[in-house]
Amino acid sequence: MAHNKRALGMLGFIGVGALALGLAGCSSGDAEPGGDATGGSGSGDLTTVGFVAVGPEGGWRNANEQAIKDAFTEDAGFELKYAPAASPSDQKSQLDAFSTFVNDEVDVILLTATEASGWEDSLKLAKEAEIPVILLDRGVDAPEDLYVTRIAPDNVQVAKSVGEWATTAFPEGANYFVLEGVPGLSVVNERNEGFDEALGGKSGWNKVGAQTANWKTDEGKSVIETVLKANNNDIQFIFAQNDEMGIGAAQAVTAAGLKPGTDVKIATIDGTKGALEALSKGDLSFVAQYNPFFGTDAVDAVKKALAGDKVDSTIIVKSATFDSPEAADKALADGLAF
Ligand code: AHR
């Protein structure tokens, strides 16, 4: 497929001759990237997709990366080259994988960045090689013309729903603490923005502090144990930016002799099975889903990008919210957990 793309790429520079060449190249194979709706790519000429991924990180990540693997199958006309980072915070392994995909002339690159900064040079190389890049989940600090689109739920809106719920749960305000994801990530900044927007100067809200727990349960527990001790347990609300940290916070609240959901309410983002079970039990009080299932959206964006069709600069994935044990039980029964 790469040679076809190159031939088509040349069209801008040479003229009718190349046009005949390019179309001839397409007509001999299946010009439609990724095959047709019935699956299969006709000539067997698969679209090669380089997926610069995060790799094992937690329940959300596993669900999201599996959804991408389930969508970009050979039957659907794709050869997916999966490249997980050496660790969820190892950008160098991602940069190396990215440049390997460019050198291998894959047809398209999917990128979930472990860091928001440091991608501009890589994205420029892909653009020079006429390889479209599609961001999944996480944004990057780079000009929008260097990538086709970003596919993700709206982190600002998801976090705003947490803040709006909190202001109804605590009409007089509360002392609260924020457990953040890995520092510097687009989603961390966006979640802080949305939550703060919802609180928007409402009286009675006292931010005791914020600290990263690196998306992890054990770190969430350790941070909140320290925070509760330092504040004589006078914390009423905890916003955890993902489920695993929120579950850790609930463990710390219990260890301090307090009752999660009564003495301290905890709200999280993601919607994993563990979180919905904790919500059902009352250990969590609110869970905002960060819908990981956007494999089909990614396939559609790849097909449009390779066909030269317009793709919106951001593709928002709809997400739900769960605000009670009954809502959690229904979501679990309906198979919405992951
Ligand atoms: O980028 C999405 C975040 O990364 C998820 O909310 C979190 O669980 C994951 O680690």
Side-chain angles (χ1 to χ4, degrees):
M1 177 68 90
H3 73 278
N4 280 353
K5 179 167 50 66
R6 286 226 171 298
L8 290 172
M10 283 165 58
L11 296 184
F13 305 108
I14 298 177
V16 175
L19 183 58
L21 171 69
L23 291 177
C26 289
S27 59
S28 66
D30 180 348
E32 175 59 31
D36 53 28
T38 56
S41 60
S43 68
D45 180 10
L46 299 175
T47 298
T48 54
V49 180
F51 182 13
V52 181
V54 171
E57 183 187 49
W60 189 90
R61 185 66 53 204
N62 296 341
N64 180 250
E65 295 193 353
Q66 190 57 52
I68 298 301
K69 292 172 184 174
D70 292 346
F72 287 90
T73 60
E74 205 166 301
D75 283 349
F78 298 99
E79 180 192 350
L80 183 70
K81 298 170 181 279
Y82 175 65
S87 78
S89 57
D90 183 302
Q91 182 181 40
K92 185 182 180 314
S93 57
Q94 287 200 317
L95 292 166
D96 293 344
F98 192 102
S99 62
T100 299
F101 285 145
V102 172
N103 296 334
D104 290 351
E105 295 188 334
V106 297
D107 294 306
V108 62
I109 293 174
L110 305 178
L111 169 63
T112 304
T114 56
E115 300 261 347
S117 58
W119 286 100
E120 192 157 340
D121 291 346
S122 300
L123 293 170
K124 281 178 181 167
L125 283 176
K127 184 161 186 153
E128 283 158 19
E130 297 170 354
I131 300 175
V133 177
I134 289 173
L135 306 182
L136 303 180
D137 170 23
R138 304 232 176 108
V140 295
D141 300 335
E144 286 191 358
D145 67 337
L146 291 179
Y147 55 88
V148 173
T149 187
R150 174 187 178 191
I151 306 173
D154 182 333
N155 280 271
V156 172
Q157 188 51 48
V158 168
K160 196 173 175 184
S161 72
V162 174
E164 288 166 349
W165 172 85
T167 56
T168 59
F170 298 95
E172 305 301 317
N175 295 335
Y176 72 99
F177 192 86
V178 181
L179 287 172
E180 296 181 343
V182 173
L185 284 178
S186 60
V187 297
V188 171
N189 300 332
E190 291 158 352
R191 292 177 187 183
N192 280 326
E193 179 188 338
F195 181 78
D196 292 346
E197 194 180 311
L199 261 55
K202 284 190 173 51
S203 65
W205 284 90
N206 171 38
K207 185 173 185 177
V208 171
Q211 188 175 332
T212 184
N214 293 304
W215 305 124
K216 293 178 180 153
T217 296
D218 58 349
E219 289 196 34
K221 180 181 180 190
S222 165
V223 169
I224 296 302
E225 279 173 344
T226 304
V227 168
L228 288 171
K229 284 194 186 94
N231 291 276
N232 299 315
N233 291 347
D234 187 17
I235 302 284
Q236 289 80 45
F237 176 64
I238 294 165
F239 169 32
Q241 291 189 347
N242 89 325
D243 292 345
E244 280 86 351
M245 296 189 293
I247 288 167
Q251 292 169 356
V253 167
T254 303
L258 303 171
K259 183 160 178 45
T262 304
D263 301 317
V264 183
K265 294 189 190 312
I266 302 163
T268 73
I269 291 177
D270 276 345
T272 57
K273 188 166 182 283
L276 291 177
E277 288 169 346
L279 178 60
S280 175
K281 267 176 62 183
D283 285 346
L284 296 179
S285 299
F286 183 84
V287 176
Q289 185 192 46
Y290 187 65
N291 187 351
F293 301 113
F294 45 84
T296 306
D297 302 276
V299 166
D300 292 345
V302 163
K303 287 183 174 179
K304 282 181 180 169
L306 292 178
D309 295 342
K310 182 179 175 347
V311 180
D312 290 340
S313 59
T314 54
I315 296 173
I316 300 295
V317 180
K318 287 190 173 51
S319 294
T321 59
F322 309 104
D323 61 3
S324 67
E326 295 73 22
D329 292 340
K330 183 173 189 316
L332 288 162
D334 292 349
L336 296 183
F338 45 84

Coordinates of all heavy atoms in Angstrom, one line a residue, residues 113-118 137-142 150 153-160 178-198 207 210-212 215 239-242 245 269 290:
A113 N 0.1 9.0 23.3 CA 1.3 9.5 23.9 C 1.5 9.3 25.4 O 0.5 9.6 26.1 CB 1.5 11.0 23.5
T114 N 2.6 8.9 25.8 CA 2.9 8.8 27.3 C 3.3 10.2 27.8 O 3.3 10.3 29.0 CB 4.1 7.8 27.5 OG1 5.2 8.4 26.8 CG2 3.8 6.4 27.1
E115 N 3.6 11.1 26.9 CA 3.9 12.5 27.3 C 3.3 13.4 26.3 O 3.2 13.0 25.2 CB 5.4 12.7 27.2 CG 6.3 11.8 28.1 CD 6.7 12.5 29.4 OE1 6.6 13.7 29.5 OE2 7.2 11.8 30.3
A116 N 2.9 14.6 26.8 CA 2.2 15.5 25.8 C 3.3 16.2 25.0 O 3.1 16.5 23.8 CB 1.4 16.5 26.6
S117 N 4.4 16.5 25.6 CA 5.5 17.3 24.8 C 6.4 16.3 24.1 O 6.4 15.1 24.4 CB 6.2 18.2 25.8 OG 6.8 17.4 26.8
G118 N 7.3 16.9 23.2 CA 8.3 16.2 22.6 C 8.0 15.4 21.3 O 8.8 14.6 20.9
D137 N -7.0 9.0 22.4 CA -7.0 9.3 23.9 C -6.3 10.6 24.2 O -6.9 11.6 24.4 CB -6.5 8.1 24.7 CG -6.3 8.4 26.2 OD1 -6.9 9.3 26.7 OD2 -5.4 7.7 26.8
R138 N -5.0 10.6 24.2 CA -4.2 11.7 24.7 C -3.8 12.7 23.6 O -3.5 12.3 22.5 CB -2.9 11.1 25.3 CG -3.2 10.1 26.4 CD -2.5 10.4 27.7 NE -2.8 9.4 28.7 CZ -2.0 8.5 29.2 NH1 -0.8 8.3 28.6 NH2 -2.4 7.7 30.2
G139 N -3.9 14.0 23.9 CA -3.4 15.0 23.0 C -1.9 15.2 23.1 O -1.3 14.6 24.0
V140 N -1.3 16.0 22.2 CA 0.1 16.3 22.2 C 0.3 17.8 22.0 O -0.6 18.4 21.4 CB 0.9 15.5 21.2 CG1 0.9 14.0 21.4 CG2 0.4 15.8 19.8
D141 N 1.4 18.3 22.5 CA 1.7 19.8 22.3 C 2.3 19.9 21.0 O 3.6 19.9 20.9 CB 2.6 20.2 23.4 CG 2.0 20.1 24.8 OD1 0.8 20.0 24.9 OD2 2.8 19.9 25.8
A142 N 1.5 20.0 19.9 CA 2.1 20.2 18.6 C 1.0 20.8 17.7 O -0.2 20.7 18.0 CB 2.5 18.8 18.0
R150 N -7.7 13.9 16.8 CA -7.6 13.2 18.1 C -8.9 12.6 18.4 O -10.0 13.3 18.4 CB -7.2 14.2 19.2 CG -7.2 13.6 20.6 CD -7.0 14.7 21.6 NE -7.0 14.1 23.0 CZ -7.1 14.9 24.1 NH1 -7.1 16.2 24.0 NH2 -7.1 14.3 25.3
P153 N -13.0 10.7 24.5 CA -14.1 11.4 25.1 C -13.5 12.8 25.5 O -12.3 13.1 25.5 CB -14.3 10.6 26.4 CG -13.8 9.2 26.0 CD -12.6 9.4 25.1
D154 N -14.4 13.7 25.8 CA -14.1 15.1 26.1 C -13.7 15.1 27.6 O -14.5 15.2 28.5 CB -15.3 16.0 25.8 CG -15.0 17.5 26.1 OD1 -14.1 17.7 26.9 OD2 -15.6 18.3 25.5
N155 N -12.4 15.2 27.8 CA -11.9 15.1 29.2 C -12.4 16.3 30.0 O -12.7 16.1 31.2 CB -10.3 15.1 29.2 CG -9.8 13.7 28.9 OD1 -9.6 12.9 29.8 ND2 -9.6 13.4 27.6
V156 N -12.4 17.5 29.4 CA -12.9 18.6 30.2 C -14.4 18.4 30.6 O -14.7 18.6 31.8 CB -12.8 19.9 29.3 CG1 -13.5 21.1 30.0 CG2 -11.3 20.2 29.0
Q157 N -15.2 17.9 29.7 CA -16.6 17.7 30.0 C -16.8 16.6 31.0 O -17.6 16.6 31.9 CB -17.4 17.4 28.7 CG -18.9 17.4 28.9 CD -19.4 18.6 29.6 OE1 -19.1 19.7 29.2 NE2 -20.2 18.4 30.6
V158 N -16.0 15.5 30.8 CA -16.1 14.3 31.8 C -15.8 14.8 33.2 O -16.5 14.5 34.1 CB -15.1 13.2 31.3 CG1 -15.0 12.1 32.4 CG2 -15.6 12.6 30.0
A159 N -14.7 15.6 33.3 CA -14.3 16.1 34.6 C -15.3 17.1 35.2 O -15.6 17.2 36.4 CB -12.9 16.7 34.6
K160 N -15.9 17.9 34.2 CA -16.9 18.9 34.7 C -18.1 18.1 35.3 O -18.7 18.6 36.3 CB -17.3 19.7 33.4 CG -18.1 21.0 33.8 CD -18.3 21.8 32.5 CE -19.1 23.0 32.9 NZ -19.5 23.8 31.7
V178 N -7.3 16.4 45.3 CA -7.3 15.8 44.0 C -6.1 14.9 43.8 O -5.0 15.2 44.0 CB -7.3 16.9 42.9 CG1 -7.3 16.3 41.5 CG2 -8.4 17.9 43.1
L179 N -6.5 13.6 43.4 CA -5.4 12.7 43.0 C -5.3 12.8 41.5 O -6.2 12.5 40.7 CB -5.8 11.2 43.4 CG -5.7 10.9 44.9 CD1 -6.4 9.6 45.2 CD2 -4.3 11.0 45.4
E180 N -4.1 13.2 41.0 CA -3.9 13.4 39.6 C -3.2 12.2 38.9 O -2.5 11.5 39.6 CB -3.1 14.7 39.4 CG -3.8 16.0 39.9 CD -3.0 17.2 39.6 OE1 -1.8 17.1 39.4 OE2 -3.6 18.3 39.7
G181 N -3.4 12.1 37.6 CA -2.6 11.1 36.8 C -1.2 11.6 36.7 O -0.7 12.5 37.4
V182 N -0.5 11.0 35.7 CA 0.9 11.3 35.5 C 1.1 12.7 35.1 O 0.4 13.2 34.1 CB 1.5 10.3 34.4 CG1 2.9 10.7 34.0 CG2 1.5 8.9 34.9
P183 N 2.0 13.5 35.7 CA 2.1 14.9 35.5 C 2.4 15.2 34.0 O 3.1 14.5 33.3 CB 3.3 15.4 36.3 CG 3.4 14.3 37.4 CD 2.9 13.0 36.8
G184 N 1.8 16.4 33.5 CA 2.1 16.9 32.2 C 1.3 16.3 31.1 O 1.3 16.7 29.9
L185 N 0.4 15.3 31.4 CA -0.4 14.7 30.3 C -1.5 15.6 30.0 O -2.1 16.3 30.9 CB -1.0 13.3 30.8 CG 0.0 12.1 30.8 CD1 -0.8 10.9 31.4 CD2 0.5 11.8 29.5
S186 N -1.9 15.6 28.7 CA -3.1 16.4 28.3 C -4.3 16.1 29.1 O -5.0 17.0 29.6 CB -3.4 16.2 26.8 OG -3.7 14.8 26.6
V187 N -4.6 14.8 29.4 CA -5.8 14.5 30.0 C -5.8 15.0 31.5 O -6.9 15.3 32.0 CB -6.1 12.9 30.0 CG1 -6.2 12.5 28.5 CG2 -5.0 12.1 30.6
V188 N -4.7 15.0 32.1 CA -4.6 15.5 33.5 C -4.9 17.0 33.5 O -5.8 17.4 34.3 CB -3.2 15.3 34.1 CG1 -3.0 15.9 35.4 CG2 -2.9 13.8 34.2
N189 N -4.3 17.7 32.6 CA -4.6 19.2 32.6 C -6.1 19.4 32.2 O -6.8 20.3 32.8 CB -3.7 19.9 31.5 CG -2.2 19.7 31.9 OD1 -1.9 19.5 33.1 ND2 -1.4 19.6 30.9
E190 N -6.6 18.7 31.3 CA -8.0 18.8 30.9 C -9.0 18.5 32.0 O -10.0 19.1 32.2 CB -8.3 18.0 29.6 CG -7.5 18.5 28.4 CD -7.4 17.4 27.3 OE1 -7.7 16.3 27.6 OE2 -6.9 17.8 26.2
R191 N -8.6 17.4 32.7 CA -9.5 17.0 33.8 C -9.5 18.1 35.0 O -10.6 18.4 35.6 CB -9.1 15.6 34.3 CG -9.4 14.6 33.3 CD -9.0 13.2 33.6 NE -9.2 12.3 32.4 CZ -9.0 11.0 32.4 NH1 -8.6 10.4 33.5 NH2 -9.2 10.3 31.3
N192 N -8.4 18.6 35.2 CA -8.3 19.7 36.2 C -9.1 20.9 35.7 O -9.9 21.5 36.5 CB -6.9 20.2 36.5 CG -6.1 19.2 37.4 OD1 -6.7 18.7 38.4 ND2 -4.9 19.0 37.2
E193 N -9.0 21.2 34.5 CA -9.8 22.4 33.9 C -11.3 22.2 34.0 O -12.0 23.1 34.5 CB -9.4 22.5 32.4 CG -10.1 23.7 31.7 CD -9.9 23.7 30.2 OE1 -8.8 23.1 29.7 OE2 -10.7 24.2 29.5
G194 N -11.7 21.0 33.7 CA -13.2 20.8 33.7 C -13.7 20.7 35.1 O -14.8 21.3 35.4
F195 N -13.0 20.1 36.1 CA -13.4 20.0 37.4 C -13.5 21.4 38.0 O -14.5 21.8 38.7 CB -12.5 19.1 38.3 CG -12.9 19.0 39.7 CD1 -13.9 18.1 40.1 CD2 -12.2 19.7 40.7 CE1 -14.3 18.0 41.4 CE2 -12.6 19.6 42.0 CZ -13.7 18.8 42.4
D196 N -12.4 22.2 37.8 CA -12.3 23.6 38.4 C -13.4 24.4 37.8 O -14.0 25.3 38.5 CB -11.0 24.2 38.1 CG -9.8 23.5 38.8 OD1 -10.2 22.7 39.8 OD2 -8.7 23.7 38.5
E197 N -13.8 24.2 36.5 CA -14.8 25.0 35.9 C -16.2 24.8 36.6 O -16.9 25.7 36.8 CB -14.9 24.6 34.4 CG -15.7 25.5 33.5 CD -15.7 25.0 32.0 OE1 -14.7 24.7 31.5 OE2 -16.8 24.9 31.5
A198 N -16.4 23.5 36.9 CA -17.7 23.2 37.6 C -17.8 23.8 39.0 O -18.9 24.3 39.4 CB -17.8 21.7 37.7
K207 N -9.7 23.7 48.6 CA -8.8 22.7 48.0 C -7.6 22.5 48.9 O -6.8 23.4 49.0 CB -8.3 23.1 46.6 CG -7.5 22.1 45.9 CD -7.2 22.5 44.4 CE -6.4 21.4 43.7 NZ -6.2 21.8 42.3
A210 N -3.3 18.8 45.9 CA -3.4 17.9 44.7 C -2.1 17.2 44.6 O -1.0 17.8 44.9 CB -3.8 18.6 43.5
Q211 N -2.1 15.9 44.2 CA -0.8 15.2 44.1 C -1.0 14.1 43.1 O -2.1 13.5 43.1 CB -0.3 14.7 45.4 CG 1.1 14.1 45.4 CD 1.5 13.7 46.8 OE1 1.1 14.2 47.8 NE2 2.4 12.7 46.8
T212 N 0.0 13.8 42.3 CA -0.1 12.6 41.4 C 0.0 11.3 42.2 O 0.7 11.3 43.2 CB 1.0 12.6 40.3 OG1 0.7 11.5 39.4 CG2 2.4 12.5 40.9
W215 N -1.8 7.2 38.4 CA -2.9 6.3 38.0 C -3.0 5.0 38.8 O -3.7 4.1 38.4 CB -2.7 5.9 36.5 CG -2.6 7.0 35.5 CD1 -1.6 7.1 34.6 CD2 -3.5 8.0 35.2 NE1 -1.8 8.2 33.8 CE2 -3.0 8.8 34.1 CE3 -4.7 8.4 35.7 CZ2 -3.6 9.9 33.6 CZ3 -5.4 9.5 35.2 CH2 -4.8 10.3 34.1
F239 N -11.4 13.9 44.6 CA -11.6 13.7 43.2 C -10.3 12.9 42.7 O -9.2 13.4 42.7 CB -11.7 15.0 42.4 CG -11.6 15.0 40.9 CD1 -12.0 13.8 40.2 CD2 -11.0 16.0 40.2 CE1 -11.9 13.8 38.8 CE2 -10.9 16.0 38.8 CZ -11.4 14.9 38.1
A240 N -10.6 11.7 42.3 CA -9.5 10.9 41.7 C -9.6 10.8 40.2 O -10.7 10.5 39.7 CB -9.5 9.4 42.3
Q241 N -8.6 11.2 39.5 CA -8.7 11.3 38.1 C -8.7 10.0 37.3 O -8.9 10.0 36.1 CB -7.5 12.2 37.5 CG -7.7 13.6 37.9 CD -6.7 14.5 37.3 OE1 -5.7 14.1 36.6 NE2 -6.9 15.8 37.4
N242 N -8.6 8.9 38.0 CA -9.0 7.6 37.4 C -9.4 6.6 38.5 O -9.2 6.9 39.7 CB -7.8 7.0 36.6 CG -6.9 6.2 37.4 OD1 -6.6 6.4 38.5 ND2 -6.4 5.1 36.7
M245 N -6.8 5.0 41.2 CA -6.4 5.9 42.3 C -7.6 6.1 43.3 O -7.4 6.1 44.5 CB -5.9 7.2 41.8 CG -4.7 7.1 40.9 SD -4.0 8.8 40.5 CE -5.3 9.4 39.4
I269 N -12.9 8.8 37.5 CA -13.1 8.8 36.0 C -12.6 7.4 35.5 O -11.6 7.0 35.9 CB -12.4 9.9 35.4 CG1 -13.0 11.3 35.8 CG2 -12.3 9.8 33.9 CD1 -12.3 12.5 35.2
Y290 N -15.1 7.1 31.0 CA -14.2 7.7 30.0 C -14.2 6.5 28.9 O -13.4 5.7 29.0 CB -12.8 7.9 30.6 CG -11.9 8.6 29.6 CD1 -12.1 9.9 29.1 CD2 -10.7 8.0 29.2 CE1 -11.2 10.6 28.3 CE2 -9.8 8.6 28.3 CZ -10.1 9.9 27.9 OH -9.2 10.5 27.0

